[in-house]
Amino acid sequence: MTIAGIGTAIKRVEDAALIRGAGRYVDDVKLPGEKAIIFVRSPHAHARITAIDKTRALQMPGVRAIYTFDDVKHLGPLLALNQSGKLRPLLADGFVKHVGEAVVMVVAENRYLAQDAADAVEVTYEPREALIDVEVAASNSLKVHDDLPSNIINTVETGDAKAVAAAKTRDDVVVVSQRLVNQRVIPLALEPRASLADWNTNRVTLWTTTQMPFGVAGAIGKMFGLPLGNVRVISPDVGGAFGSKLNVYAEEILTCFASRQLGRPIRWTETRREAMVASTHGRGWVTTATLVATRQGDLLAYELIGVADMGAYSQCFTAAIPALGQLAASGTYKIPAIHFKIDCVSTHTMTTDSYRGAGRPEAVYNLERMMDLLAKALGIDAVTLRRRNFWKPQEFPVTTALGVTMDSGNYEANLDTLLDAIDLPALRRQQAEGRAHGRYLGIGFCTFVEPGGLAPSEMADYGISFANYGLPAGSGESATVRVNPDTSLTVTSGTCPSGQGHETVWAQIASTILAFPFERISVLQGDTKGAMLGLGSFSSRSACVGGSAVAKAAEHVRKKAAVIAAYLLNSTPDAIRFVDGHIYADGIDKTVTWTDLAVTAYHNHRTPPDVQPGLEATVFFDPRGLTWAFGSHVAIVEVQPETGVVTLLRYVGVDDCGTVINPMIVDGQVHGAIAQGFGQALLEEAIYDEQGHLLSDSLLTYRIPVAENLPSFELHRTVTPSPLNSLGVKGVGEGGAIAAPPALVNAVLDALAPLGVRHLDMPLRPHSVWEAIQQAKEVQYVSQSL
Amino acid sequence: MNVTLTVNGTLLSHDVEPRLLLVHFLREHLALTGTHVGCESSFCGACTVLMNGKAVKSCTILTVQAIGSTITTIEGVGSTETLHPLQEGFREMHGLQCGYCTPGMILSAIDLLQENKNPSEAEIRASLEGNLCRCTGYHNIVRAIQYGAAKLQGLPPPASLFEEAGR
């Protein structure tokens, strides 16, 4: 028997199936008689559809049906949490607004026959001018959607512009300013999206690749007019998500529609190209950041102004992403005046939405690049400048100049842990020696916050309401903990993992609180039929909101179990102790077991008077605020000036996510997030050409990190518990993706400093690094000759 | 077209369309769903199987090209009772998160360890060029393969991660 305590690196329960190939992803679920969908998608970024001829396709073998917009327009557009901008029609409505937009849906016996028929559908387009560049679109008279007043669909503005302006014009200050690009990237979960719908009379079951089954169920209920209880959404094993499956997609609604029309189970499985052009993208900000400080390095003001590319249609969070970004805008620093203004701009490209961090990596990247530029301008060491401006531990909870409250933090101790791990003076010596021999080493820092644990009550303040999906706007996360009659325990959670190991971690929480054998605990999740209600897994919320709900439910069960145990032991509930699967009362030389309690709880005639039968609790946990994880990361790189190739030599991170439930899983989250941040910093970019064709639409043209690109990571931690939940936990899923891009870019620019390169935009591919070196050389050559 | 081939030790004969991809044959005709499809273009490696003992990408091989061959999928690795040392390594060293790339990773690693019993970290990383993982940053995949390599040579495997709580 194992009582898997909080803080134990217990091996994952999930793995037994996954390492044997026995995982069950959506595409592994087969139903008898199922048919397959293939979509005909737009090859144009902007065009009017002048004709759709399905005559020839309808005569192809195995074709069941072919649908266009007119067949589905009664369902309305796709629902979204943030309503700014144009909602996506389920199929193109007379016009296409981005390459990859679904125009025609073909249903046939299997995917091969459906593809044959899709190839025979003839769509005639009249191409129009497309707006691809976000800055051009922001100020263009041509509009992406004629029925909207402007391409700017939302402006997220907060802070005090006047105070910032006043600080800038003081004559005793240093002002640094820089235009920064946070390029559009593709989340790229390895498992493409897939949906399998089975509509039966007035009920529908949908297996789908999602992070938010309740959101999908709510949207289906609203769009088809079904009661929520008649819609069951199952998200089985999910092969990675990172925000790309945090949505309600047209394909999910359309598989349900086709199943209703045809009376058969209907499957759609995304191809990789579709995943590139028609699953949501992330980032896509172009900003100008300005940082104002005294000559001693005390920060006075910070301004971030720019545009964010929304793509053509608004889906789940789309225009709310910058609002999440402003949360992290001032990072770990006490800045008296801040002004944040991001215009959300439509373009003829795929929708952007959540990608690991969702707005927060963009915001922190801007600030952390500016901190390095300021340090350089002041001639102060980048670490010293950061430390000088940290919020102090005794100041928490703190409220930033943007009115955001941070729960707890100890940034200085965290940074000290990092410095202890790396021996910075020795690294600086190596760097100097290297430079003397033509080797360009760079050391780049990032200190950051990771505001996570989004709960809907908080989210309503940022223009996000789950009510649009027919769900309550404020309910946090639910959990049910039940001790079963067979002395097993079932945890049911509204969270929905895509590889984060909840099955293990939720069991650890319940096992610890109830001193219940870990091996006898099952976790049910990712199914709207099972859980009370849940919003899913995103925004580093699962452990601090969902896990806290599990803890709270377990505490309720313990309370009831104590009443029953006291009855059996002739004691009082407050004298009952739970230790290693045994239950005893202080001062009584007798124990009972969980079996005794289960037997008593489920046999009416044995339960104590005034105690309801059963041994379970369902609770909601809605935290009073966000949790603010934080950390300090450093990247050590070498740049080859002859080729522009950047090699990451060493990466050290110190993360603080409060109480750690399973250190193995926490470190795994940080590893993966760093790798994704590395991808953004050095490799990845969704590139549209001027006509709006996505050039990076395959794994050949969109490179994500391979094993050889990366070193092993060195991780350490500090522990500053959150006061906002009983476990003291904070989110940890996104920190690495927030930290790594600025740490890496700062490192490369530190390496290139002697060559005169001041700034570079991501991704730092060899060509752009090489070009920047050549340009800097020319500038130096010219200035020397003058 | 009739195809005869051996899959996970069983000789099979099936009629298939000539254009049927091997991965779809395995997944849809044989219900061996442990072989995954990630890109249909040989880049991601989620569909890796062993064909006559060598790792191949089953998403870009036609079933008819596999006539007469011997295929091993993840379902043919280890047994219900006993895990293959590499499977054990992935579990012990937290070498997987979502698990989608894992079967392909394990089969590629089997191929690697057949060629090189005791690969260095650099050799392991280089050998995974054709297998993408978006969750782990590869850190623990490297350790999982080191664990499997040690175990296959009868050496004591490296200590599992975090035997004790905290650090």
Side-chain angles (χ1 to χ4, degrees):
Chain A
M1 185 181 71
T2 317
I3 304 301
I6 285 172
T8 311
I10 196 154
K11 299 296 178 295
R12 297 204 321 169
V13 177
E14 290 86 345
D15 294 355
L18 298 176
I19 54 179
R20 291 180 164 93
R24 285 289 173 269
Y25 303 88
V26 173
D27 202 48
D28 302 340
V29 179
K30 306 289 175 196
L31 294 180
E34 63 175 53
K35 312 298 171 203
I37 288 173
I38 293 283
F39 289 98
V40 177
R41 294 185 182 272
S42 171
H44 299 288
H46 187 198
R48 191 168 78 85
I49 300 169
T50 54
I52 298 176
D53 185 355
K54 39 190 190 182
T55 325
R56 197 160 65 87
L58 279 167
Q59 291 160 2
M60 302 283 287
V63 172
R64 286 289 178 134
I66 298 179
Y67 301 106
T68 60
F69 175 73
D70 285 343
D71 300 304
V72 297
K73 68 178 172 197
H74 65 283
L75 295 171
L78 201 57
L79 299 176
L81 291 190
N82 185 290
Q83 300 279 343
S84 313
K86 183 83 172 170
L87 300 182
R88 177 180 290 275
L90 292 175
L91 291 166
D93 172 13
F95 285 85
V96 287
K97 298 294 173 76
H98 67 90
V99 165
E101 181 169 357
V103 179
V104 180
M105 172 166 70
V106 177
V107 189
E109 288 301 311
N110 62 48
R111 75 180 86 185
Y112 286 70
L113 295 174
Q115 185 64 61
D116 292 342
D119 292 344
V121 172
E122 285 169 32
V123 185
T124 313
Y125 299 94
E126 187 183 279
R128 300 277 173 94
E129 190 187 338
L131 289 168
I132 304 304
D133 183 278
V134 61
E135 289 176 296
V136 171
S139 56
N140 207 287
S141 55
L142 178 69
K143 287 193 289 182
V144 175
H145 302 288
D146 287 335
D147 51 347
L148 294 184
S150 141
N151 291 328
I152 298 173
I153 59 170
N154 183 30
T155 296
V156 176
E157 183 166 15
T158 173
D160 188 343
K162 278 185 192 158
V164 171
K168 275 195 233 177
T169 49
R170 275 170 55 171
D171 54 9
D172 58 342
V173 297
V174 173
V175 181
V176 287
S177 201
Q178 179 63 47
R179 178 183 187 271
L180 293 137
V181 177
N182 208 289
Q183 82 275 27
R184 178 188 277 248
V185 292
I186 301 180
L188 214 144
L190 206 57
E191 177 203 28
R193 289 186 292 130
S195 297
L196 172 63
D198 186 18
W199 192 296
N200 186 335
T201 320
N202 62 347
R203 294 177 171 271
V204 63
T205 303
L206 179 73
W207 286 262
T208 193
T209 48
T210 189
Q211 297 169 245
M212 48 181 304
F214 280 91
V216 176
I220 292 170
K222 276 189 103 173
M223 293 180 76
F224 289 97
L226 290 179
L228 200 55
N230 286 22
V231 183
R232 180 177 182 188
V233 173
I234 302 170
S235 182
D237 288 323
V238 177
F242 318 115
S244 69
K245 293 168 182 170
L246 179 60
N247 230 300
V248 177
Y249 277 101
E251 293 89 346
E252 289 169 322
I253 305 299
L254 290 167
T255 49
C256 292
F257 166 79
S259 181
R260 183 182 77 175
Q261 298 306 106
L262 299 172
R264 288 283 184 278
I266 302 291
R267 168 187 305 284
W268 171 71
T269 303
E270 190 179 55
T271 63
R272 176 52 57 189
R273 183 174 183 279
E274 283 179 297
M276 305 305 275
V277 299
S279 282
T280 54
H281 296 174
R283 317 278 192 256
W285 288 23
V286 182
T287 46
T288 298
T290 305
L291 196 53
V292 186
T294 64
R295 296 206 173 90
Q296 293 71 43
D298 293 320
L299 298 180
L300 296 173
Y302 177 55
E303 184 166 63
L304 188 67
I305 292 182
V307 290
D309 187 351
M310 300 290 108
Y313 299 110
S314 297
Q315 290 192 203
C316 188
F317 285 83
T318 305
I321 300 294
L324 298 176
Q326 60 92 7
L327 291 170
S330 58
T332 50
Y333 313 116
K334 191 173 190 170
I335 309 177
I338 306 174
H339 178 219
F340 180 100
K341 180 173 182 261
I342 301 287
D343 287 326
C344 302
V345 181
S346 292
T347 55
H348 288 111
T349 61
M350 181 55 200
T351 299
T352 60
D353 209 308
S354 302
Y355 170 51
R356 204 164 193 165
R360 287 149 285 188
E362 294 90 317
V364 170
Y365 177 76
N366 275 284
L367 180 62
E368 285 300 294
R369 282 290 300 118
M370 295 314 292
M371 288 300 280
D372 264 34
L373 289 172
L374 177 66
K376 224 174 158 203
L378 292 169
I380 298 180
D381 172 70
V383 172
T384 309
L385 179 68
R386 284 175 168 82
R387 184 195 299 278
R388 186 180 180 100
N389 289 283
F390 280 158
W391 290 99
K392 305 286 177 279
Q394 64 275 13
E395 292 175 304
F396 284 89
V398 300
T399 300
T400 72
L402 293 182
V404 175
T405 302
M406 307 205 283
D407 59 344
S408 63
N410 190 346
Y411 305 145
E412 201 158 348
N414 185 273
L415 179 62
D416 285 338
T417 307
L418 181 74
L419 295 174
D420 287 347
I422 61 169
D423 192 356
L424 185 58
L427 286 172
R428 289 288 179 209
R429 279 196 301 277
Q430 273 177 36
Q431 184 180 38
E433 284 162 23
R435 280 175 185 169
H437 297 91
R439 279 190 73 187
Y440 292 88
L441 299 179
I443 304 160
F445 287 88
C446 170
T447 61
F448 65 96
V449 291
E450 179 189 1
L454 282 189
S457 306
E458 284 270 330
M459 290 159 78
D461 300 340
Y462 301 107
I464 301 157
S465 171
F466 276 77
N468 297 336
Y469 287 160
L471 302 173
S475 62
E477 196 62 59
S478 75
T480 302
V481 169
R482 183 172 69 227
V483 177
N484 298 308
D486 67 343
T487 329
S488 64
L489 186 144
T490 307
V491 177
T492 311
S493 169
T495 57
C496 186
S498 42
Q500 298 92 334
H502 297 174
E503 213 176 317
T504 306
V505 174
W506 293 185
Q508 275 184 267
I509 294 171
S511 175
T512 306
I513 291 173
L514 294 168
F516 200 95
F518 183 78
E519 298 82 357
R520 298 285 294 166
I521 301 178
S522 318
V523 175
L524 308 179
Q525 55 190 338
D527 186 342
T528 60
K529 193 179 180 185
M532 187 71 171
L533 186 71
L535 296 175
S537 291
F538 53 91
S539 213
S540 300
R541 75 187 296 275
S542 291
C544 44
V545 189
S548 295
V550 172
K552 195 171 159 190
E555 282 154 15
H556 280 266
V557 168
R558 190 172 60 185
K559 214 173 256 179
K560 183 167 181 181
V563 172
I564 299 172
Y567 176 75
L568 294 176
L569 291 168
N570 269 328
S571 177
T572 56
D574 54 2
I576 300 298
R577 303 284 173 262
F578 297 80
V579 179
D580 287 347
H582 290 276
I583 297 110
Y584 69 93
D586 284 341
I588 297 175
D589 187 22
K590 198 177 142 197
T591 65
V592 289
T593 62
W594 276 108
T595 303
D596 298 326
L597 297 190
V599 166
T600 308
Y602 288 99
H603 289 68
N604 262 357
H605 62 287
R606 292 193 195 167
T607 48
D610 307 324
V611 172
Q612 287 296 310
L615 195 44
E616 71 173 88
T618 295
V619 303
F620 288 88
F621 178 72
D622 193 358
R624 284 172 291 118
L626 303 174
T627 62
W628 293 77
F630 56 92
S632 313
H633 285 206
V634 63
I636 298 149
V637 303
E638 176 165 5
V639 183
Q640 271 189 333
E642 301 82 5
T643 59
V645 169
V646 175
T647 306
L648 176 57
L649 302 175
R650 197 175 163 204
Y651 194 99
V652 189
V654 183
D655 284 78
D656 191 321
C657 61
T659 306
V660 171
I661 302 170
N662 185 321
M664 176 187 85
I665 288 177
V666 164
D667 282 2
Q669 285 296 306
V670 179
H671 292 154
I674 293 169
Q676 286 185 8
F678 174 96
Q680 179 170 15
L682 296 180
L683 303 171
E684 300 177 29
E685 184 177 20
I687 306 169
Y688 283 97
D689 70 11
E690 283 174 14
Q691 285 76 43
H693 298 114
L694 184 66
L695 302 179
S696 52
D697 68 347
S698 74
L699 292 177
L700 176 66
T701 49
Y702 188 94
R703 300 307 298 267
I704 65 168
V706 295
E708 226 178 348
N709 296 144
L710 299 166
S712 285
F713 306 117
E714 300 165 49
L715 300 186
H716 304 269
R717 68 173 60 90
T718 56
V719 176
T720 309
S722 172
L724 298 178
N725 60 67
S726 65
L727 297 167
V729 297
K730 299 181 176 186
V732 74
E734 297 165 312
I738 294 172
L744 282 155
V745 175
N746 285 341
V748 171
L749 289 162
D750 183 52
L752 298 180
L755 298 174
V757 180
R758 177 181 181 268
H759 175 72
L760 272 170
D761 282 317
M762 300 185 289
L764 306 185
R765 286 189 291 243
H767 181 73
S768 53
V769 173
W770 182 84
E771 220 166 46
I773 295 169
Q774 302 317 308
Q775 277 170 11
K777 271 185 191 165
E778 279 169 33
V779 171
Q780 285 182 345
Y781 177 76
V782 171
S783 56
Q784 278 161 15
S785 354
L786 286 173
Chain B
M1 243 182 116
N2 184 266
V3 293
T4 302
L5 69 171
T6 304
V7 179
N8 297 335
T10 306
L11 185 66
L12 301 164
S13 181
H14 275 252
D15 285 321
V16 302
E17 263 199 87
R19 63 175 171 171
L20 184 71
L21 295 171
L22 179 60
V23 69
H24 289 150
F25 174 71
L26 295 170
R27 289 179 50 79
E28 284 158 27
H29 291 240
L30 305 184
L32 294 171
T33 54
T35 305
H36 300 144
V37 184
C39 71
E40 316 98 16
S41 52
S42 284
F43 290 108
C44 82
C47 67
T48 305
V49 299
L50 299 182
M51 187 166 160
N52 300 324
K54 293 297 297 173
V56 297
K57 309 283 177 72
S58 64
C59 75
T60 40
I61 291 179
L62 295 169
T63 314
V64 293
Q65 291 176 284
I67 290 174
S69 71
T70 299
I71 303 287
T72 305
T73 71
I74 188 67
E75 290 89 348
V77 176
S79 67
T80 320
E81 299 78 34
T82 322
L83 292 173
H84 185 281
L86 277 162
Q87 288 173 313
E88 197 181 306
F90 272 77
R91 186 191 63 193
E92 292 299 310
M93 308 311 277
H94 190 30
L96 66 151
Q97 290 181 27
C98 82
Y100 202 75
C101 74
T102 311
M105 287 283 177
I106 290 173
L107 288 155
S108 282
I110 288 175
D111 190 359
L112 166 70
L113 297 183
Q114 283 168 0
E115 303 291 316
N116 181 352
K117 284 187 172 26
N118 192 18
S120 66
E121 173 168 346
E123 286 169 332
I124 291 172
R125 287 183 181 273
S127 79
L128 296 179
E129 179 202 30
N131 290 80
L132 299 179
C133 170
R134 193 61 158 164
C135 295
T136 64
Y138 305 98
H139 181 105
N140 286 337
I141 290 178
V142 171
R143 272 136 204 85
I145 295 173
Q146 288 170 332
Y147 181 107
K151 198 108 197 256
L152 280 167
Q153 292 178 89
L155 300 171
S160 285
L161 297 171
F162 304 105
E163 282 304 345
E164 76 291 354
R167 264 178 293 195

